[in-house]
Amino acid sequence: MLQIRASIYYTVTMILTVVHSLLCLTVASWLPFRLRYRFVTTLNRIIIQLGRWVCGVRYEVEGQENLPKDRPFVILANHQSEWETFYLQLLVGPMCTVLKKELLRIPFFGWGLAMLKPIAINRAARTNAMKQILQQGKARLKEGIPVLIFPQGTRIPAGETGRFNKGGAMLACSAKVPVITLAHNAGRHWPSKSFIKYPGTIRVRIGPLIETEGSSVDDVHQQSSQWILQQMAEIDR
């Protein structure tokens, strides 16, 4: 039954992705960025709802009141699946995501993604990637656009922690903006590289604001990574 539900989900998703991407290229490309963002991420909303209606994957969010409404920030989140890449662009929008540049080469999907002002990095060139994150990230923040970074760098299966890098803390401290931490267990119900989606409720927790004024990169990195790790452990109990 789970395979049938997943087959329906992927079939509908692929058709909608092609249609929506063509609409983005012909319609959304002419819109101002904030309207274009809303247009493009309509597909995200549909995908999240399809996951709920077809596969039985729901979600609940705690701490949404911690998100600043009057200033940009850097959001640091653990990375377990594709689900959070879709959902977080709806939770905070418009938002700039740091991602691997290979994603922009995916037909249709990558075309729409490229219209959201992402910071597309080459993870193999670490030094250049960090310079790019700092330069482009500060530019996005000056525009009032929050920046999303997955400090683990890649998807880590649920139950594992991986290694957290300091790029997000460096950007926040350099730009003098606060950090918002976020933890979830999406990998339990929407595993990366898995055809099947498992019914259940994804739990998302948003942490309190971490100010960077007067703090070192190491302090911000330690505080943010420890909070994410602690919440991940609690959510998975």
Side-chain angles (χ1 to χ4, degrees):
M1 187 61 182
L2 292 179
Q3 290 183 333
I4 294 174
R5 295 170 76 173
S7 297
I8 295 172
Y9 164 81
Y10 280 111
T11 300
V12 176
T13 297
M14 285 189 289
I15 293 172
L16 290 176
T17 299
V18 172
V19 173
H20 184 70
S21 297
L22 294 176
L23 284 174
C24 288
L25 292 174
T26 56
V27 178
S29 59
W30 301 95
L31 298 175
F33 175 67
R34 291 182 182 273
L35 285 177
R36 183 168 75 241
Y37 187 96
R38 291 177 63 184
F39 189 99
V40 173
T41 55
T42 299
L43 182 63
N44 296 44
R45 197 175 304 279
I46 294 172
I47 287 174
I48 295 295
Q49 290 303 318
L50 277 173
R52 177 179 180 177
W53 297 332
V54 178
C55 301
V57 180
R58 294 170 171 78
Y59 66 91
E60 60 181 30
V61 183
E62 303 173 34
Q64 197 162 350
E65 68 278 1
N66 292 327
L67 295 171
K69 295 179 175 60
D70 58 348
R71 53 177 169 160
F73 53 92
V74 173
I75 183 167
L76 303 178
N78 64 303
H79 200 11
Q80 291 185 351
S81 76
E82 293 81 9
W83 183 88
E84 64 267 18
T85 62
F86 295 125
Y87 175 71
L88 293 182
Q89 289 182 331
L90 300 173
L91 177 67
V92 180
M95 179 176 66
C96 165
T97 304
V98 176
L99 46 79
K100 57 183 181 181
K101 66 179 184 179
E102 291 83 358
L103 291 176
L104 303 185
R105 299 171 185 163
I106 300 174
F108 300 106
F109 173 80
W111 302 344
L113 189 60
M115 301 176 73
L116 302 182
K117 290 189 176 182
I119 300 175
I121 62 172
N122 177 4
R123 292 189 302 187
R126 284 190 168 185
T127 302
N128 289 336
M130 193 63 248
K131 289 180 180 178
Q132 187 180 351
I133 290 172
L134 290 174
Q135 181 180 18
Q136 295 184 22
K138 290 170 73 173
R140 300 290 190 275
L141 292 165
K142 284 183 179 179
E143 294 180 61
I145 303 173
V147 176
L148 167 65
I149 296 179
F150 296 109
Q152 293 162 304
T154 190
R155 296 185 187 96
I156 305 295
E160 300 180 22
T161 58
R163 177 180 176 274
F164 285 67
N165 63 60
K166 298 181 180 180
M170 291 177 66
L171 172 59
C173 290
S174 178
K176 295 181 172 58
V177 299
V179 165
I180 282 289
T181 49
L182 184 147
H184 62 85
N185 65 339
R188 291 295 181 192
H189 304 285
W190 198 295
S192 179
K193 299 179 182 179
S194 171
F195 182 76
I196 294 176
K197 308 291 183 276
Y198 297 93
T201 301
I202 293 171
R203 300 175 63 189
V204 180
R205 288 186 182 176
I206 303 168
L209 203 69
I210 299 175
E211 296 287 359
T212 59
E213 291 279 359
S215 297
S216 68
V217 171
D218 286 340
D219 287 341
V220 173
H221 171 68
Q222 183 177 18
Q223 188 176 349
S224 59
S225 58
Q226 285 183 347
W227 186 91
I228 294 173
L229 288 170
Q230 179 182 350
Q231 300 307 311
M232 287 170 59
E234 290 184 7
I235 288 172
D236 259 347
R237 285 178 183 172

